[in-house]
Amino acid sequence: MRLYTPVLNTPRDVIIQVHAASVNPIDLRMREGYGSTLLNLQRKMEKIEEFPLILGRDFSGVVVKTGRLVKRFRPGDEVSLLNQSIRSLGSLHLVVT
């Protein structure tokens, strides 16, 4: 099996290995197309690929790597997050950037 290996795209990025994630009603609605017009517009304006859209907004895990401008977190830190970034892979992925 080949896994996606994330990279730090900006000096402010943080890579987190996800240990626990949840599926919420909003994730199920998004899977059915809820918010797709706004999400696609936002992605187009920021030049982000439409797919893959991996669902999930909240998770906990451990920081694996940080960009050089990240001051608050270090590799090994345990974290939890309500993720609202459209750039993220989603918390139902093995690793989140």
Side-chain angles (χ1 to χ4, degrees):
M1 176 162 65
R2 188 168 165 244
L3 296 177
Y4 169 78
T5 304
V7 295
L8 297 170
N9 293 313
T10 76
R12 297 182 193 279
D13 281 353
V14 176
I15 297 175
I16 300 166
Q17 182 178 16
V18 176
H19 288 187
S22 67
V23 176
N24 295 305
I26 189 69
D27 296 313
L28 299 176
R29 297 276 293 138
M30 286 180 73
R31 185 170 177 250
E32 296 168 351
Y34 175 80
S36 62
T37 302
L38 181 59
L39 182 63
N40 289 336
L41 177 63
Q42 223 175 354
R43 286 177 163 214
K44 185 181 280 188
M45 288 174 32
E46 295 195 33
K47 296 184 174 81
I48 299 171
E49 294 290 324
E50 183 177 351
F51 296 103
L53 172 60
I54 298 172
L55 301 175
R57 297 289 166 260
D58 49 336
F59 62 90
S60 64
V62 175
V63 174
V64 175
K65 191 173 184 181
T66 62
R68 63 181 171 79
L69 296 180
V70 175
K71 304 296 182 210
R72 242 177 117 180
F73 303 105
R74 293 184 179 158
D77 284 353
E78 293 180 347
V79 295
S80 62
L81 179 71
L82 171 58
N83 184 15
Q84 296 182 10
S85 171
I86 63 168
R87 292 185 179 279
S88 172
L89 291 171
S91 63
L92 301 183
H93 199 274
L94 295 173
V95 178
V96 175
T97 56

